Each structure stands twice: as structure tokens, then as C-alpha cells.
Amino acid sequence: MEHYINSENSKSSIVALLTDFGWKGAHYVASMKAVILKINPRINIIDLSHSVSPYSLIEASYLLKAAYPYFPKGTIFVSVIDPGVGTQRRIVVIKSSDDYFFVGPDNGIFPNALEENIELCYAVEDDFYFHKPVSHTFHGRDIMAPVGAYITTNVPLEKFGSVINPEDLTRIPIINEVNTKERRIKCTIQYVDDFGNITTTISVKKNDELTYHKSQGNIKLQKHQEVTIFVNDRSYRAKYVSHFAEVNPKSLLLMRGSTGFLEMSLNQGNAAEKLEISSGKIIEIQLSE
Amino acid sequence: MEHYINSENSKSSIVALLTDFGWKGAHYVASMKAVILKINPRINIIDLSHSVSPYSLIEASYLLKAAYPYFPKGTIFVSVIDPGVGTQRRIVVIKSSDDYFFVGPDNGIFPNALEENIELCYAVEDDFYFHKPVSHTFHGRDIMAPVGAYITTNVPLEKFGSVINPEDLTRIPIINEVNTKERRIKCTIQYVDDFGNITTTISVKKNDELTYHKSQGNIKLQKHQEVTIFVNDRSYRAKYVSHFAEVNPKSLLLMRGSTGFLEMSLNQGNAAEKLEISSGKIIEIQLSE
Amino acid sequence: MEHYINSENSKSSIVALLTDFGWKGAHYVASMKAVILKINPRINIIDLSHSVSPYSLIEASYLLKAAYPYFPKGTIFVSVIDPGVGTQRRIVVIKSSDDYFFVGPDNGIFPNALEENIELCYAVEDDFYFHKPVSHTFHGRDIMAPVGAYITTNVPLEKFGSVINPEDLTRIPIINEVNTKERRIKCTIQYVDDFGNITTTISVKKNDELTYHKSQGNIKLQKHQEVTIFVNDRSYRAKYVSHFAEVNPKSLLLMRGSTGFLEMSLNQGNAAEKLEISSGKIIEIQLSE
């Protein structure tokens, strides 16, 4: 790495790291931080999470979406969930409409996390900004970390590579269908927390209306209405409520979660274990009349 | 958050975070850090621990007590073990007699961790200092983190809300009785470490005297004296020693731990598993004559 | 700690921490950071890893070797894997030939991690630089952390204690034999990752030559050659390849890992579980003719 900058003239910036390296992979995270600090020692590095389930793009996307808006404008997010390392998958750098930066493989995490609010997008191609030698197996350390660090030194994004039309970015295949006539929902599970609470990809407004494409009409959930959940060739009864305590212990419930998505939980229990669900799973929900 | 400060004029301060969010809850910790850095980007944020057993007030209190005096004076501790979120429990800000600051729910952690050395205590009430919108479920991010950050900008504590008499703070119900006549101890378990070592709430001086209210007389433990431990309707023999190796492998021992409390261990084994003990448990110890 | 420095005149430096304290031991790590920041509040503290298997010197050595060269020159590594605390084991401070600093017990981690490239070595003896009172059980916090911090304040290494000849440092007993005549390798396992991939102590060049003492002749591995692995009184067939996909699912393979060592893996499986191997284990590998 030959191109250090004068730390006195660089501004203090935040780089946040999101990986699936796990607790035992801390030394990989540390080597990314080392490369970043070599380029700009004044960067404040924050761990967003390293507990993403291995290779789970949808879970990483959910965590990024839930956390990034709380950071100061200008924060740079380096996201290394990279099952495609070693293949010809692209690495991209993105500026969002709300003035955050994102660096990582073009694997669908960013368009989903940013809800398509992408202002600028470039391929990461110019190896001037890479850490040499570039390994075959760890582009997080050798490409994504240094590119994230160089953004703090005011390198214009177009220096990293050729422009990409945001519409050409890879998308995570998310199923998110609301059939208003049959009052039936089909959706992907995007996150399961430590307590077994299950977050779907279905947005719910504060007035309990489901959010989806306008032309399809409208569904508003009624408090205490019963629903049937179909998963793994089995079905379960659940109730739409505002608080856990509105259903009996060990009973299933649906509610609007703190991130605005429809969530499933088991009062005083673990819904994910009961339903045998992990992130990425597709479920269907039949609303009653 | 509309009230950013000029980072050039703010001093560099330490905010230490203590939560029960766990390894999978890293993104919640990250969003607290994000809110803190929005208010004062020069704050040095240190993770005290995020591995507190869920909702364990006594364990959090022990970890805080064991770690806080090592930090520089003026360090601000934001403690988010918050089983009461959503209820009317108070949030408090405290200045200790030894010049540290503490922000968190009024759930008993602070009086215990500070051994009652509280100089100032205020309720956190003025939503001018909150992160908006304030969620129903995550006051750690929306209230406690920003209040901790504002302390570094020299906001006087009385600005946050009305004064509280420290005697009116909630206490953790700890049992800590030494019956000198019957030579019997009844106490709460405040911590169990990864190796199954069990820390009681009974203080032991370096000369092996038990510390308790003076009027009750005095008990001094004798090296190699035998004791009987009563827990879960069973009893166990153990020996008071200075080192593990003074008892046989797989034998129980009592010793003065590195934090000055009476501890129970199993030589080359896991005492907590053998005795089926976790933090919060109450045990009795009968000393021999 | 009476000897604080003027933070305005101290340079910003990096101290990286490597311990076996685990996720539940975060408060021990935090107290080390607290002591460091008391001495120099401008130090940037990076967690290298705290997930070292308890007391595993060879694993700690491997992680340090794999990560340290990515850090900026001058970085100070404080390594607290300390099964000997309480005995008369020495604590040492080292400057490597490539301008990094290392503080920790003299237990063999540093000579192995640095591949003997040690320029200066001193015993840590002068308690002027210790955090008082010095506990019997936690020299990481009371001796190693403050000594690491004082290095950033430009204390010359000889101030800490008497000079040590690097040849007199303790070594980790590593077996690393290549018998060129019998085409047989005997070596120690230095690391097992979360996925069960097994890293040996045998270096492999990019051209597939094994690296060992020159006088012994030469062995070059052939792609797709078969080998027999002897471990735990059992034997296993494996193939030397470049990518996992070159062997059948659930088949054993050998390859040159990203850190330049010979590694064993199970395609779509966990090699460490199959072979019942953890770090420190000794294995033999018989190459075919």
C-alpha cells in the first residue's frame, strides 16, 4: 500500500463493517481494519455486525436496512457477505439518495437495503486502490476495505471504475405478494432473531395497512383477527395483535415489528423452532374474511 | 436529531456500553453507537460487555462494579438491561462520588454496582435530548445513548429532568446475611463465568474476614476449614482454600476471588453445572465450628 | 496510575489485543482498554481476536502471524494467552525486524508468529509502568496493557527491564518434519476454523513445493496426487488439489491455504469433526510415489 495520505488533512469519518465472519473470524475483521487504518488512521471503524448467518444475503440486507439510517450522513458501509468470491461477480460502490456510501459484492444486498434509493453506482475495477497482493479468497480485506477507506480521502466514486445503471444491479429473489382478492400473502423470511422471532418482508403501516403496489387494492389487518400460516407443508393458527400478552402462552401471534415489517412470534416461546423457519424461507399467510 | 454540536470544540470522551443484546444483537449495539456519534463524533465508544444473560440485573451490576473503576474519571456508562421497556419504569442519570457517569433504567443496577456512592441523580425526562422518533421498544438507542452522548458536551445533569433522592432508586433484591452465632451465610449468586466458577455477594477481606454489618460481630474463615453448601434442596461439602490445587480434582472449593467476593469452584470441573446454579440463585453456607 | 501523559502531545497509535477471554469475558477486555486509555487517551484500540481456544498458544500464534503484517508499522500487539499467570514465567516486550511491537508472556507465541524476525527483546520488570495494585490473576490488565500503552508514549524498550537474547525465549513445541526420502510429513495442527478446515504448520510455496530446511532435498506436491493422513491411530485418503470442487462431496482434500500453509478440508463437510482434530494435534501425511 504505497499511497498513504497525510492524516492531519483527512477528516474523521466512519466506516461500518458488516460480515458473516462470526465470532471465530475476528482476525479476518481485524485485518480489514488494519488495511483501512493504513490508508487513513483517523477513520472511526464501527462493527455493524459480524453475526450474519454464513452467506445469508437477505439477513445481511435486513440488518443493513435496520441500522444504516441511524448513522451520520457520509458513513461508509463495507459489506462482506461474499459467497461468490473467486467467481466473476462484480464489486460495486454506491452512493444512496440519502448520502451514505456502500461497498461490497454486487449480490443484491444494497438495492434491497436501500429500497432502490441509489443515486450513484460504479464498478470497483481500478487496482490502484487495492491492497496488494490481491488474494483469491479475501476481497473484503484486499479490495472492499481499502476502497471504503479511500472514499474518506475524497476519491470521487468514478475513479474506482465504470458507471453502472442501478437497474442492472443484482437483486435478491424476494417473494412479496399480497393477493387482495383471496386475502392471501406469500412472502420471504428476512430475519430470525435470537429469541426465535420471525421477520417477514411484508411492510405494515402504523394504521395496520399492508404496504404493496398500489394498483392491487388494499388490505388492512384487524386487531385480533385470526390468520392461518402455511409453512413446510403444515399450517398454524395465529392472531394479529399489538402486544405478546394478547395471546395465550405458547400461542402464535403476528404483529407490526419495530422495523415496520410483519413479524411472527410465540408468546413465551421460540416461533422459529416451532415452525422450523430460518431466514430465506418462503411462507404463506391466509387472512380470514 | 437536530442539535449537533461543533466537533472541534468538544472534548474527546469515553462512553462505555453494557447490554444483554448478545452476539446476534450486534446491530442493535451499532445503532446505539451511530446515534452517539451523530451527537459527538469524537466520543471513544468502548464495549464493556454485551454478553450479560438476558434481563440479568444482578449479573450486569456485577460486571459494571468489576470494570468501571479501571476507566478514566469522567467516563460515561450506558447500561441497557431493560426488561421494563414499555412500562412506566424511570430512566436515570447518575454521577458517582468518584466522578463517573451512569445512564440507564432505574432497575437497581447502579446502586449495587456503585455500592451506594451516588453523588447526583436525576430522572431523564426532557425529550429535547432524545433521538426522534422515540420507539416503544428500544429506549437504549432513542433515549439512553443520546443522553450519554450529551453528557460529553457538558450538558448539566439537571437539564435532563427532575432530581431524584438516591434513596428512592430501585434496588436489586439481594440476600446477603451472615449469622455469626450459627456461623451460617445466606447469599445471592451474582455471577457465573464461562468455566462455571460461581461468585456470591459475600465480600471477603484479604485477611479472610467476611465483610458485613459491624454490629453483628465477626467471622473469619480459616484456611482449609470445611463448609456445607445448601442449594436446590441438596447439600455439598467444600473447603475454603487459597488455590484450586489445594483440593482434589472434581472437589468443591471456596476462595476469595479476584474481585474480593467469596467464590465457589470445582477443581478441574464446572461448579455451576454440578450445583445447577445460575446468577440470581440463593444459597446457604454452613461453616464448621 | 500516577503518570498520565499530556494527550495533546502524544501521537495517535494503534494497540491491537489478542486474548482467549471469549465472548463472555468481554468485561476483562474492557478493563484492559480502560487501563490503556488512562495512559494515552488517543490510542486506537483494535480487537485482533478474543476467540482463541482457552490457553491455545499455537492457535494464538497462528492468528497473530496471519494478521499482524496488515497493520501499520509501529502497531503494538498485546497478547494475553497466559496459562502461566501466578508462576514465575517472564513477560517480554519485543520489537520485530519489520517494526512492530509485541507485549505478552514469554510462552512461545512471538518467536513462532514472527518467524524469528526479532530485533529487540526485553523483560518487563520495572513496576513503574504497571497498573497498581498488581493482581495475582490478571497481568494482562495490570502489566501487559499499560506497558503496551507506554510504548505509544515513546518509552524506550530498555526502560521496561533487562535485555533478553531472542534465542533464550521460550518456543512452542512444534513438530514440522519433512522426510524427503520416505516422502512422509509429520506436523502439528496450528488452527481449526469454524467450518472445520484444518491448518498445518507445513508451508507450501505457490509452485506447490514444501518449504523446509534446504539441506534435506526437495518435495513438490503434484496436483491430484493421493496422500494418506495418519491421525488418532486411523488413516484417511485425501487428494492434493487447488479447489474444493475437485474432489467429491464429503471427500477429504489437501490444498495450499490463503496463509501459505498446507490445509486439510472436507468438501461440503467438516474435516475437523471427521478426523477428531483440534489445534495442537500431531498428524502424519504419507505422499504417494
Side-chain angles (χ1 to χ4, degrees), chain A residues 141-199:
Chain A
R141 178 193 63 206
D142 300 333
I143 301 180
M144 303 171 211
V147 164
Y150 276 116
I151 294 174
T152 70
T153 69
N154 299 319
V155 172
L157 298 195
E158 62 264 31
K159 291 282 188 185
F160 295 116
S162 47
V163 69
I164 293 176
N165 183 334
E167 292 183 7
D168 295 336
L169 288 170
T170 300
R171 260 72 184 176
I172 300 173
I174 288 177
I175 289 177
N176 192 341
E177 300 169 2
V178 179
N179 185 323
T180 54
K181 194 176 163 199
E182 300 189 359
R183 299 182 63 79
R184 195 173 176 103
I185 298 165
K186 188 173 183 182
C187 62
T188 307
I189 301 307
Q190 59 180 338
Y191 187 63
V192 174
D193 75 14
D194 255 4
F195 304 95
N197 301 310
I198 299 164
T199 303

Side-chain angles (χ1 to χ4, degrees), chain A residues 4 8 17 25 30 78 120 133 138 192 199 216 229 231 234 236 239 251 255 264 267 270-273 283:
Chain A
Y4 297 8
E8 293 310 309
L17 304 180
V78 175
L120 297 170
F138 194 4
V192 174
T199 303
Q216 287 178 281
I229 299 163
V231 56
R234 293 191 300 273
Y236 304 87
K239 204 181 273 188
S251 292
M255 60 187 289
M264 291 186 289
N267 187 19
N270 187 308
E273 283 182 8
I283 65 162

Side-chain angles (χ1 to χ4, degrees), chain B residues 125-191:
Chain B
E125 296 163 334
D126 187 345
D127 69 6
F128 177 88
Y129 301 102
F130 298 175
H131 182 275
K132 317 286 181 351
V134 175
S135 69
H136 293 297
T137 53
F138 194 4
H139 290 177
R141 178 193 63 205
D142 300 333
I143 301 180
M144 303 171 212
V147 164
Y150 276 116
I151 294 174
T152 70
T153 69
N154 299 319
V155 173
L157 298 195
E158 61 265 30
K159 291 282 188 185
F160 295 117
S162 47
V163 69
I164 293 177
N165 183 333
E167 292 183 6
D168 295 336
L169 288 170
T170 300
R171 260 71 184 175
I172 300 173
I174 288 177
I175 289 176
N176 192 341
E177 300 169 1
V178 179
N179 184 323
T180 54
K181 194 176 163 199
E182 300 189 359
R183 298 183 63 79
R184 195 172 175 103
I185 298 165
K186 188 173 182 182
C187 62
T188 307
I189 301 307
Q190 59 180 338
Y191 188 62

Side-chain angles (χ1 to χ4, degrees), chain B residues 25-67:
Chain B
H27 57 296
Y28 297 120
V29 176
S31 64
M32 288 179 62
K33 293 179 180 177
V35 166
I36 287 169
L37 293 172
K38 257 189 190 164
I39 293 169
N40 180 357
R42 297 187 64 199
I43 290 174
N44 194 350
I45 307 175
I46 301 291
D47 297 300
L48 201 166
S49 179
H50 305 294
S51 70
V52 173
S53 302
Y55 301 158
S56 179
L57 302 176
I58 196 167
E59 185 179 326
S61 165
Y62 173 76
L63 296 178
L64 188 57
K65 180 164 44 183

Side-chain angles (χ1 to χ4, degrees), chain B residues 19 21-22 24 40 48 51 55 93-94 141 151 166 174 196 203 232 240 242 249 279 284:
Chain B
T19 79
F21 297 167
K24 289 285 283 183
N40 180 357
L48 201 166
S51 70
Y55 301 158
V93 55
I94 284 172
R141 178 193 63 205
I151 294 174
I174 288 177
S203 293
N232 291 326
Y240 182 70
S242 298
S279 58
E284 293 191 65

Side-chain angles (χ1 to χ4, degrees), chain A residues 23-24 26-27 34 38 137 141, chain C residues 23 48 51 59 70 191 194:
Chain A
W23 172 245
K24 289 285 283 183
H27 57 296
K38 257 188 189 163
T137 52
R141 178 193 63 206
Chain C
W23 172 245
L48 201 166
S51 71
E59 185 179 325
Y70 291 97
Y191 188 62
D194 255 4

